[in-house]
Amino acid sequence: MADPNPARTFNDPEDPIIAATVPDHYSPLLDVDPPAGENSRRPLKGFLVILSGLLLVGLLMALIGKSGPSVSQKTDLTLNAPAESTNISAQFLEPVSRGPSAGVSEKSFRLHSGVRAPFPWSNTMLSWQRTGYHFQPEKNWMNDPNGPMFYGGWYHFFYQYNPDAAVWGNIVWGHAVSKDLIEWLHLPLAMVADHWYDTNGVWTGSATLLSDGQVIMLYTGATNESVQVQNLAYPADLSDPLLVDWVKYPGNPVLVPPPGIDDRDFRDPTTAWYGPDGKWRIAIGSKVNKTGISLVYDTEDFKKYELIEGVLHAVPGTGMWECVDLFPVSLKEDNGLDTSFNGPGVKHVLKASLDDDKNDYYAIGTYSLESGNWTPDNPNLDVGIGLRYDYGKFYASKTFYDQNKQRRILWGWIGETDGESADIKKGWASVQSIPRTVVFDKKTGTNILQWPVEEIKSLRKSCKKFDKLEVGPGSVVTLELEKATQMDITAEFEIDKEALKRIGESDMEYSCSTSGGSAQRGELGPFGLLLLADEGRCEQTPVYFYVAKGTDGQLKTFFCTDESRSSLANDVDKRIFGSTVPVIKGEKLSMRILVN
Amino acid sequence: MRSSVFLLCVMGISLTQIEFPTSDLVKQTCKRTPNYDLCVKTLLSDPRSSHADVAGLAMVMVDTIKAKTIATLHRISELLGTTRDPKTKAALRGCVELYDNAVLKADLPSAMEALKTGVPKFAEQGTNDAANEADSCERAFSGVSPITSFNRNVSDLCRVASAIIRLLL
């Protein structure tokens, strides 16, 4: 992960990147139980690939190559096959004595329990953490993605930025452009805190592209009295494709908190969508007591607004809704849809970032322009109580419609898991996720599918394939690689069909975060990859599947990442996270990992 | 005569009743921190606490931590002038970095700004980290630390501050 020249603005990874054949189906990270009876499984043979990276030394692991014959037949297997009691052949990992990671509060870093010696971070160690291809400014603190859009032949990206320190504060808008969402050119700050209405923070906002070529940017300002207001800005020169300079509307703020809404609960305006009567609509998240809500405003010119009675939607107990996002998805097509699109064959995704637990939640439902409400398909999976975009560190996310390639693209802020003291020593904090395409999952009908944008393949330099590796219970297979710190990995797993038949029921409900991670062996898991493992495997980050059969006789597949031993440092947040993933009949257990 | 005496008594009672809710908030808030006594003592010694909401109390705490941090840096500076032992000196210098670069220049301003502008989640990171820095400083001394009381004080105050900020989340 070392970037030898942090001052470079174009990312240029030198390490070889591994790419196997890319499957043409997804393994989404979702938390939905597979519908009963629809989830058949092919018998699967397990194989395991380890990719190791050492801090300072190059990687060198002997390849345990085994070109054994294909073990299993591919026949369909129903869920009701009786379990038998012979050996399971798809297990993984020696048992380790480390206990499960304590349930770390998702809300912030724990205080270290007890007093311990400070971890001796060296500059070499810290510089190794700099990523090779994730979006990040050259230094200092970053958080929410802002105003993403495609304009003038360029992808534009703005972000919450502290120009003075590697911690949150003094927030202004950073700006960068790209031709391919992967290689970025950093531009001067787009907006700074230079008016009374944003002097305490130029906070999150979104872009709307009008059909006449205008670009509307709405954003939240924290005023000199710390009231949250919405402001309008637009490019100084629309003929500049890089949109370097921005102008703030002299009549700002265009929106102030309405009656009944607290001054501090009114932020993150969305991209506008075309409403009835030729007016535009935007949504702004808020809360009333503990109920998270989204307000909707009508506007014709983005300068004067009318609050629409009622709310777009509300969910009790979810707390403040930050970074609300509402967008259509096609039920039939694979392309994305413009934010204003509506009609038959379309559903709307409503998403909120919950301030209370620092996670992004979404729900699929129907948006009616007439009533102005959005209703979830399944109230049990409503916003904030159902599915998340991502079960790791991923917050304040925002989508935009990429009219260049007709895609809906999702950006998300990754706040990293090291402590602020390390951030201060590093001189920077946070990265953005690799942008992801978002489509409706036609197979489940209840989820969206995300995938890294295809442009990331342009970074691939070399390819290494490992085929038909067999892994027995409690074992580890190592692979020889040149370097293993920047990789694009695809791996497919098959569980031995006999093992699948014999799996017994468990009365314990498995969950990634409360489990013992990769150290907790079950009948059919964990199996997966050990990433960033050092020679003695004192540090390793397993990414794995875990298959269990519940008391209802249904197989459930979990996809987890175990950070409990990811670092010897004691000031790093080390969680085990993940969720269930639906496994569709006829599909394999496959994973895609970007290591950086 | 009688009626005016009655009026006086009524007013007297009402005034004392106005004061009850405020120190109630301090007490209620401090009960939910790991160090009630320190919390109450610190807050009540600042006049702003009497008409502050919970966010305001958190800000009083952060200001107190700032004052203690500066006091700690002064003490360290004194000790650097008088201490002979090279290990102690090295640890002291390390502590200067922690308290000056991290706590004073980054953690506390970030926490204060977050409290002022109504985004407490960023405030909690700041005070948590400040506690960790104080603990790190204490641990840096292999023998006996010459500034244990300072480090403990800062650390305890930060933990109280974090607990108060947690109430805002």
Side-chain angles (χ1 to χ4, degrees):
Chain A
M1 289 204 263
D3 180 355
N5 183 7
R8 271 203 316 252
T9 50
F10 277 93
N11 290 318
D12 181 23
E14 294 168 359
D15 304 89
I17 294 179
I18 294 173
T21 47
V22 180
D24 56 355
H25 50 267
Y26 299 152
S27 274
L29 294 175
L30 300 165
D31 196 16
V32 176
D33 291 349
E38 287 174 30
N39 233 18
S40 301
R41 221 34 120 50
R42 294 196 200 157
L44 304 164
K45 174 186 81 169
F47 76 89
L48 171 68
V49 167
I50 291 184
L51 305 136
S52 309
L54 295 176
L55 266 175
L56 305 171
V57 186
L59 175 80
L60 29 86
M61 288 288 210
L63 170 67
I64 302 175
K66 228 185 174 186
S67 47
S70 199
V71 167
S72 55
Q73 300 279 355
K74 291 183 181 176
T75 57
D76 283 333
L77 195 69
T78 68
L79 292 172
N80 296 326
E84 295 165 73
S85 57
T86 47
N87 287 337
I88 310 299
S89 64
Q91 293 212 12
F92 169 95
L93 291 181
E94 306 140 7
V96 262
S97 56
R98 276 250 192 147
S101 167
V104 179
S105 161
E106 297 226 85
K107 299 190 188 196
S108 71
F109 288 115
R110 276 182 308 179
L111 290 169
H112 299 150
S113 52
V115 183
R116 25 181 145 176
F119 187 77
W121 288 109
S122 68
N123 282 338
T124 315
M125 289 180 206
L126 292 173
S127 66
W128 184 79
Q129 291 178 32
R130 188 87 185 160
T131 73
Y133 57 87
H134 279 70
F135 181 88
Q136 50 182 146
E138 293 159 86
K139 58 177 181 172
N140 290 344
W141 166 275
M142 166 173 65
N143 53 296
D144 304 5
N146 296 155
M149 60 178 178
F150 182 82
Y151 178 86
W154 292 87
Y155 288 99
H156 287 261
F157 182 70
F158 304 86
Y159 53 96
Q160 298 280 278
Y161 180 63
N162 184 347
D164 302 326
V167 295
W168 182 89
N170 314 308
I171 296 294
V172 297
W173 272 39
H175 184 192
V177 290
S178 168
K179 283 292 190 181
D180 64 357
L181 292 168
I182 298 296
E183 296 203 357
W184 292 89
L185 175 63
H186 292 287
L187 296 178
L189 301 176
M191 293 195 286
V192 296
D194 54 5
H195 286 78
W196 68 268
Y197 51 74
D198 59 16
T199 189
N200 273 322
V202 188
W203 288 354
T204 293
S206 310
T208 306
L209 301 179
L210 306 188
S211 49
D212 62 4
Q214 279 187 79
V215 177
I216 300 290
M217 195 69 86
L218 289 172
Y219 71 96
T220 298
T223 69
N224 55 350
E225 290 176 355
S226 296
V227 177
Q228 292 167 11
V229 298
Q230 316 311 323
N231 302 310
L232 167 64
Y234 37 84
D237 179 5
L238 283 170
S239 67
D240 168 20
L242 299 186
L243 299 179
V244 173
D245 296 306
W246 289 77
V247 169
K248 294 175 185 174
Y249 169 56
N252 278 334
V254 294
L255 273 176
V256 298
I261 296 295
D262 193 278
D263 288 349
R264 309 266 179 92
D265 295 337
F266 186 63
R267 54 185 181 270
D268 312 331
T270 64
T271 296
W273 63 92
Y274 213 58
D277 308 330
K279 291 188 192 166
W280 291 92
R281 286 191 182 167
I282 60 161
I284 300 179
S286 185
K287 70 174 165 84
V288 175
N289 297 325
K290 270 299 196 177
T291 299
I293 65 170
S294 173
L295 304 165
V296 185
Y297 287 85
D298 253 348
T299 182
E300 288 181 56
D301 57 2
F302 293 93
K303 293 169 181 167
K304 288 196 220 37
Y305 295 78
E306 197 186 304
L307 178 62
I308 294 179
E309 209 186 303
V311 292
L312 174 68
H313 194 57
V315 181
T318 51
M320 176 69 188
W321 282 12
E322 300 190 293
C323 302
V324 167
D325 198 5
L326 177 74
F327 59 89
V329 286
S330 171
L331 299 179
K332 300 252 167 34
E333 310 299 329
D334 293 330
N335 50 282
L337 298 174
D338 182 278
T339 310
S340 294
F341 202 93
N342 209 340
V346 164
K347 280 201 189 279
H348 276 74
V349 174
L350 178 61
K351 167 259 166 187
S353 293
L354 295 197
D355 198 16
D356 286 357
D357 72 6
K358 302 221 185 84
N359 291 314
D360 282 5
Y361 292 83
Y362 78 93
I364 301 177
T366 309
Y367 175 60
S368 156
L369 276 172
E370 290 73 42
S371 72
N373 299 129
W374 173 93
T375 30
D377 284 351
N378 181 350
N380 292 326
L381 296 179
D382 208 341
V383 177
I385 61 173
L387 300 176
R388 281 165 56 177
Y389 273 154
D390 191 300
Y391 290 84
K393 200 124 197 212
F394 188 87
Y395 193 67
S397 61
K398 186 181 288 297
T399 66
F400 74 102
Y401 176 60
D402 166 18
Q403 71 274 23
N404 182 38
K405 290 190 169 181
Q406 279 138 54
R407 307 179 284 191
R408 170 79 32 189
I409 308 260
L410 171 71
W411 283 95
W413 165 44
I414 298 176
E416 298 180 84
T417 49
D418 56 359
E420 279 199 353
S421 45
D423 289 342
I424 292 165
K425 290 194 194 94
K426 272 155 52 184
W428 62 271
S430 303
V431 299
Q432 298 290 336
S433 65
I434 298 295
R436 308 169 179 182
T437 52
V438 174
V439 292
F440 177 75
D441 183 359
K442 292 178 248 180
K443 290 180 183 172
T444 61
T446 51
N447 305 285
I448 51 127
L449 294 175
Q450 306 164 54
W451 201 242
V453 290
E454 57 179 6
E455 288 92 328
I456 194 157
K457 294 188 207 169
S458 66
L459 295 178
R460 295 175 180 176
K461 282 196 165 174
S462 65
C463 172
K464 222 165 180 185
K465 280 191 199 178
F466 301 89
D467 206 6
K468 302 234 185 328
L469 295 178
E470 192 180 312
V471 183
S475 67
V476 159
V477 175
T478 59
L479 287 174
E480 189 169 328
L481 302 164
E482 285 171 40
K483 272 190 192 179
T485 49
Q486 285 172 351
M487 297 176 288
D488 186 351
I489 304 165
T490 310
E492 272 180 15
F493 297 84
E494 291 182 65
I495 302 179
D496 175 73
K497 116 176 120 162
E498 291 306 308
L500 204 54
K501 276 191 199 156
R502 288 177 219 127
I503 179 173
E505 279 175 21
S506 164
D507 53 3
M508 293 258 294
E509 186 65 30
Y510 186 87
S511 127
C512 299
S513 54
T514 57
S515 72
S518 58
Q520 178 180 330
R521 290 172 67 176
E523 289 186 69
L524 277 183
F527 56 93
L529 308 186
L530 282 183
L531 303 169
L532 297 170
D534 63 1
E535 186 120 27
R537 284 178 45 219
C538 299
E539 292 185 334
Q540 61 178 24
T541 305
V543 176
Y544 61 88
F545 288 112
Y546 187 97
V547 181
K549 186 184 260 186
T551 46
D552 57 357
Q554 300 296 329
L555 280 179
K556 246 184 176 176
T557 306
F558 297 83
F559 183 57
C560 317
T561 301
D562 179 359
E563 293 178 342
S564 61
R565 282 165 51 186
S566 59
S567 176
L568 289 172
N570 55 8
D571 55 353
V572 172
D573 210 15
K574 299 177 213 174
R575 309 179 197 188
I576 305 169
F577 60 84
S579 68
T580 55
V581 287
V583 180
I584 308 294
K585 178 173 177 172
E587 288 188 353
K588 297 183 189 163
L589 289 180
S590 66
M591 56 172 76
R592 173 112 182 259
I593 303 172
L594 297 172
V595 179
N596 194 358
Chain B
M1 282 307 276
R2 259 181 137 191
S3 43
S4 40
V5 169
F6 176 68
L7 202 63
L8 213 62
C9 291
V10 170
M11 279 171 64
I13 291 164
S14 305
L15 279 169
T16 50
Q17 275 182 341
I18 287 168
E19 277 173 15
F20 279 164
T22 319
S23 68
D24 263 359
L25 182 64
V26 169
K27 285 182 194 160
Q28 277 168 41
T29 305
C30 288
K31 273 188 191 150
R32 298 165 78 177
T33 71
N35 195 327
Y36 178 82
D37 290 335
L38 178 65
C39 177
V40 168
K41 186 182 111 182
T42 307
L43 290 176
L44 290 185
S45 65
D46 190 306
R48 292 176 289 167
S49 301
S50 57
H51 30 260
D53 55 9
V54 178
L57 295 178
M59 287 191 238
V60 169
M61 263 300 156
V62 172
D63 274 341
T64 310
I65 297 166
K66 182 175 173 185
K68 295 294 176 183
T69 301
I70 293 172
T72 307
L73 283 165
H74 281 149
R75 181 66 188 135
I76 293 173
S77 165
E78 277 173 10
L79 287 170
L80 278 169
T82 57
T83 308
R84 299 273 178 84
D85 174 41
K87 276 192 188 162
T88 310
K89 272 192 124 111
L92 285 168
R93 277 191 217 106
C95 287
V96 169
E97 243 213 63
L98 296 175
Y99 275 112
D100 196 25
N101 284 352
V103 178
L104 203 57
K105 293 196 172 124
D107 294 331
L108 296 181
S110 181
M112 189 56 99
E113 186 180 334
L115 286 169
K116 282 197 176 137
T117 53
V119 276
K121 62 172 173 269
F122 294 120
E124 195 183 22
Q125 280 184 356
T127 50
N128 275 356
D129 189 64
N132 290 335
E133 307 288 16
D135 294 345
S136 291
C137 168
E138 184 64 11
R139 264 299 172 222
F141 297 96
S142 42
V144 178
S145 155
I147 47 170
T148 299
S149 60
F150 287 87
N151 287 331
R152 291 262 166 86
N153 197 213
V154 171
S155 179
D156 289 343
L157 286 167
C158 286
R159 282 157 208 272
V160 169
S162 293
I164 298 176
I165 293 166
R166 173 107 310 217
L167 302 176
L168 299 167
L169 293 169

